[in-house]
Structure formats: structure tokens, C-alpha cells
Amino acid sequence: MKKLLLIILFCCAFSVNAQYRLVKDIRPGTAPSIIGEMYEYDGRLFFSAFSTSAHPVAQRFIHASDGTNIGTVNLTVDYTAPIINDLAHNPDSNITFFTANSDLYFEVKHLNTSERTLQKLTGSSNTSSTVYSMSYAPAIATHDCRFTEPFFINNQIIFNPFDSGSAFGIEPHMLDVLNPTNSGMFLDIYTGPPSSNPKDFTLFNGEYYFSANDGVSHGREIWKTNGTVAGTVFYLDVIPGIGFGNPEQFNVVGSNLTFVADHDTVGRELFKTNGSGNLGLIRNIHPTGDSNPLNVTNIDNTLYFSADNGSVGRELWKSNGNTSLGTTLVKDINASSDSNPSKFIKIGTDIFFVADDGVNGVELWKTDGTSAGTILVKDISLTGSSSPDYFTEYNGKLYFTANDGNNGTELWVSDGTTAGTTMIELNATGDAIASHLIVFNNELYISADGGNGTGQELWAYLDPALNVDNFDLTEASISVFPNPTNNYFEIETTEALSKVEIYSLHGQAVKSFMPQNQYDVSELSSGVYFVKIYSNDTELIKRIIKI
């Protein structure tokens, strides 16, 4: 069946595969390069990928791509010490890239010493320079200092080193971007070898708030910094004394900084502070235990998250970030267990997420914040969980990866309707293993296996609605009605039309008309379609909904 579908797709001029293009086979041959998480800087994408083109053993190197084959290259590093080669190596699939003062910063690991260094790259250059050595014992890989959770303040990049073998433990580090020789440990919060392990840096009222453990007067509690050593101070004890409040999942909602923490009276719940040192309980969701809010996401100053109130299991909640009355259960999605909602993203008026209703498995859902408006978008896998992932907005629609149980993990698109949630198949003969989506230059870039013998490589997908050379026809000069429609639509315009075509959401031509008074679409299935209207060598695309 897959082979037959492949033949059909290749024969269709506007097929799904026609919207894809292989950017580059970074690791030539059948072995995959397995693209990591991508980051955009100065008109290029940056990512790590396996490559053997300049090294005898497959290693992960950092690459840059402008979206073309020739413009997808290995970065090189301007090392000062003898090395195996000058390629920018990093063994991690997901690298922290960070932009400050118009420069790009990232970490590499030397192939011959295992030393990790912080690199700076400027503009279109393919060679970075070392600005900070982050290893205390370069020959011992476990003694690396890492570049995670960076933020920029007072011409400094402050970051969590994540791992360190120094005599000071894991403490906040600082890179002075104007004078890198002044860089080093920012502050030893937990004096001596133990680690304060700072994390969750969040900007609030002009300062960065984070959690840390000073090991003396407080456990893991809330600290803040204005970017100076003197201005880095303890802020709030959720559990007084040396107890651990373990605050995390910070969000700024209105005039409040909200977070999840342990409290010695009410358990692990949702709290707030207004920056004056006060602690406020937003709501005791689980009166006799821990509601333990997870996946807390701020959408238009409303927090969406999962929590367990002790009676319905872990379900979908929302909060105004301020009051108990404004914090409510949205819907008990799974009547027999936990639905575990997560991956919240707003596109248009819909908030998409994944959840398990106990019947259909982990699938795509959406909500408008009400119980009635919280619905299953589509049961993608009829035999289990499709596990939607990598949610990304592109051209007003949700793009994501999912496994329907038959075709492997492919790219999918949804307009929020069942009919408008469809697979955009890349690999017609196997599993695309699609991952790591990012929108760049009006295309959707993705790591995937196209079934063409190259393995997982860098691909780009173009939404057919954007595949128009020009838009000389203006929205004001033309209208399509009725919309939504059941049987037909009409086109009102003063322009002379030459042709009208209708395409499905994923780019397949389904009908073609010469100009006429009414355009019959009665036989089309319900869903969203694109009407491509031609007039005197110009084109315009309108969207219609068939009901």
C-alpha cells in the first residue's frame, strides 16, 4: 500500500512530497546525521549533526545553514592550542545557542582534550573564536562546566554551569562580553565545594529571579540578581529555615511572579509574589496533599497546567495567577485516571495540547478555557497513542509530529478541526522519524528520514498556501462567499478571472474550474481548503471552510 501511495504521490504535480525538499545530505550515504534542535541567527540556522566529511569517526559537529545545499556547512573554531582538527565539535544533540550584543554564543568540546570552551561567532562568519574556557580539569570529561540557562544583563552573560569539577561546586558563571578576561565564577552562593545549583532564571521587574541553595540559612529557595555581585541576594523563603521549598516553573502574570513550590502547611501548590518579599498561596488545589502543578504555561496572562486535586486525578486546570476563585478545573478529561495534559500552545483562538482520555490514548486536544470547549481534535492513532510532539506554528496552523500506528512518525498539520488534521507524508516507504521543527525563511525545517536512502537529514517543507510568486490581486479587490459553505461559493471581483483551483490543506489539487457564476464543492469532505484564483498572470489564495 505504501509503494502504491508513493507512485501516486510522484505522479501528482502538487503532491505532498512536492512540497518537501532535501536541504543537504550532511552525512553522505545511508547513515543519518540526526539533526539536533535548531536555532536561528543572522539569517541562518545553527544546529548539531553527525558528520564524517572531515573526520575519520562520526562525531557531532556544529553546522550552519542558509537553507541551501552549498550554504550548509561545518563551523570551524579558531583554537589557539594544537588540536585534531578545527571543526566545532559538541557531542550533545541539543546545544544552547544564545545571542547577545548581536553575537552568537555556544559551547564546543575539544576532540583531543575534552575541554569545553565558550565560543563567539559574529554575523555570517563560519569560524568562531574562544572567549572562555569552561573546564577546570580538561582531561576529565565529568569535570566540564556547561553553558545552560544563559541570560544577558549589564553586558554580562550569566549562566548555569550545570556540571563542574571545581572547588566551588555548581555556581553561577559570568562572561563579560566587553572584556572576556574578566569572566569566571559570578558568585559562590553555597560557599566551598557544595553546589547552589542555580536554575530557572526569570526576568521580573527588571531583575532575574531564580532558585538556589545557600546551604547555611536556607534550603533551595528564591534568589534574585540585578547583574551585580552585591545585588545578588536571597529573596524569599517558602519554607523558613533550612527547609527546601524547591520553587520552579516561574511565570510572570500581570504584577505577580508565580511559581510551584513545597510548603510545610499546604504541600506542593501554586504560589505568587509581587516582588516585595511577600508569599501568597494562589489556591490550595489538593486540600489534603500535593496537587503538584506540572507543565505550567502562560498564555495571554492565564496559566494552563495539569494538577491533581485528590479526587479526579491529574487533569487540566487554569489560573489567573492571582486568586483562588480564578484558579479552576477546566475539564476532567480522563474519568478513570490521569489525562496528564501538556505541550500547551496557542494558535489563533485555539489552545492545543496533548492528553490521554483513557479511551483514545495520548492524542491532540484543544481548549478555549471552558469545559465544553475542551475537545479531542482527532484520534490520530486508532490502535494506541500517536503522541503528538514538537508543536510549531506555521502560517496560522499547528504543525507537529505524530505516529498514526501505520506510517511511523511523520509531519502533521491541524487547523483545529478533525478534517483539517492531516498527515503530510515525507517517507512513503518507512518511518520518517520526524523531529525538531523550526520556521525559517517562510519554510518549515525538520529533521527527518525521507526514505531516499540518506537517513535522517535536514529537510524543508513549504506550505502550499505560501507557494505563490506574487499577490497582485489584493484582498480588497476580491471576495469569496458564502464562507463557510455547504454546496457552492461565488467569487465577487471586478477583475477578469482566468482559472480557479481548489487545494486541500496539505497541497493536493482537488478541483479546477474555468470562470463561472457558482463553484460547486458539494462533493468535498468537510474541512479547510485553499481557493487559488488566477487573473492576468497574477494569483491570490483565499481560504474557505466546507461544512
Side-chain angles (χ1 to χ4, degrees), residues 400-513:
F400 60 99
T401 64
N403 188 334
D404 66 1
N406 296 313
N407 298 286
T409 302
E410 292 278 355
L411 181 65
W412 285 70
V413 62
S414 178
D415 63 356
T417 68
T418 300
T421 302
T422 58
M423 181 176 66
I424 310 173
E425 189 171 56
L426 171 62
N427 190 334
T429 60
D431 190 343
I433 323 175
S435 64
H436 298 301
L437 281 59
I438 188 172
V439 177
F440 174 65
N441 283 347
N442 287 327
E443 291 181 293
L444 184 67
Y445 284 70
I446 182 172
S447 171
D449 183 344
N452 58 344
T454 62
Q456 286 173 269
E457 294 294 343
L458 182 61
W459 291 78
Y461 169 80
L462 177 64
D463 186 328
L466 298 175
N467 191 16
V468 179
D469 293 331
N470 56 64
F471 290 90
D472 289 345
L473 282 173
T474 65
E475 293 289 338
S477 70
I478 197 163
S479 64
V480 175
F481 65 94
N483 190 13
T485 182
N486 185 32
N487 296 315
Y488 69 92
F489 64 86
E490 297 180 15
I491 298 175
E492 183 177 20
T493 181
T494 58
E495 304 293 331
L497 303 185
S498 57
K499 185 171 59 173
V500 174
E501 295 175 337
I502 301 179
Y503 292 87
S504 68
L505 191 62
H506 55 280
Q508 290 179 310
V510 293
K511 295 205 74 172
S512 180
F513 303 92

Side-chain angles (χ1 to χ4, degrees), residues 221-247:
E221 299 293 353
I222 301 178
W223 288 64
K224 68 176 182 177
T225 182
N226 63 3
T228 67
V229 173
T232 303
V233 296
F234 169 76
Y235 171 72
L236 180 63
D237 236 352
V238 181
I239 297 181
I242 60 172
F244 282 66
N246 294 314

Side-chain angles (χ1 to χ4, degrees), residues 17-279:
N17 277 357
Q19 300 302 129
Y20 283 104
R21 64 181 180 88
L22 177 64
V23 178
K24 185 170 185 174
D25 184 8
I26 294 173
R27 187 179 181 184
T30 59
S33 68
I34 313 178
I35 310 297
E37 187 172 336
M38 292 175 272
Y39 180 88
E40 182 179 356
Y41 164 74
D42 198 44
R44 293 190 294 174
L45 292 179
F46 291 79
F47 53 90
S48 78
F50 280 102
S51 175
T52 56
S53 59
H55 193 272
V57 180
Q59 300 277 357
R60 273 198 175 273
F61 295 103
I62 300 176
H63 294 72
S65 177
D66 63 1
T68 67
N69 185 296
I70 195 172
T72 302
V73 298
N74 283 108
L75 294 186
T76 57
V77 176
D78 182 15
Y79 288 128
T80 57
I83 55 168
I84 290 177
N85 60 57
D86 62 351
L87 293 181
H89 168 252
N90 192 309
D92 307 311
S93 60
N94 296 329
I95 297 172
T96 299
F97 293 100
F98 185 70
T99 303
N101 276 7
S102 301
D103 294 317
L104 180 67
Y105 292 85
F106 55 92
E107 113 194 30
V108 300
K109 186 173 183 178
H110 293 234
L111 282 168
N112 61 335
T113 65
S114 294
E115 179 186 11
R116 290 184 185 264
T117 59
L118 190 58
Q119 300 290 309
K120 181 179 80 172
L121 184 140
T122 301
S124 60
S125 174
N126 291 325
T127 301
S128 63
S129 59
T130 301
V131 291
Y132 182 44
S133 176
M134 303 195 298
S135 293
Y136 291 101
I140 305 175
T142 57
H143 285 186
D144 291 335
C145 178
R146 305 294 300 281
F147 185 57
T148 65
E149 294 195 72
F151 64 93
F152 187 62
I153 188 170
N154 296 341
N155 288 315
Q156 304 169 108
I157 299 175
I158 299 176
F159 60 95
N160 181 352
F162 183 73
D163 188 15
S164 173
S166 75
F168 303 102
I170 303 172
E171 299 293 345
H173 280 233
M174 176 273 293
L175 173 72
D176 185 332
V177 300
L178 300 181
N179 188 0
T181 59
N182 291 334
S183 304
M185 187 178 67
F186 179 67
L187 179 64
D188 189 12
I189 294 175
Y190 194 145
T191 306
S195 301
S196 71
N197 194 17
K199 59 183 180 180
D200 297 323
F201 297 102
T202 303
L203 182 62
F204 176 58
N205 288 345
E207 297 179 295
Y208 280 87
Y209 288 69
F210 60 98
S211 70
N213 173 22
D214 69 5
V216 180
S217 303
H218 318 281
R220 174 163 292 281
E221 299 293 353
I222 301 178
W223 288 64
K224 68 176 182 177
T225 182
N226 63 3
T228 67
V229 173
T232 303
V233 296
F234 169 76
Y235 171 72
L236 180 63
D237 236 352
V238 181
I239 297 181
I242 60 172
F244 282 66
N246 294 314
E248 62 179 5
Q249 301 185 77
F250 295 105
N251 283 279
V252 178
V253 182
S255 60
N256 291 328
L257 177 69
T258 68
F259 55 93
V260 177
D262 293 308
H263 190 275
D264 52 8
T265 301
V266 300
R268 191 162 186 79
E269 296 291 347
L270 189 62
F271 294 88
K272 65 179 180 179
T273 183
N274 62 11
S276 64
N278 67 315
L279 174 67

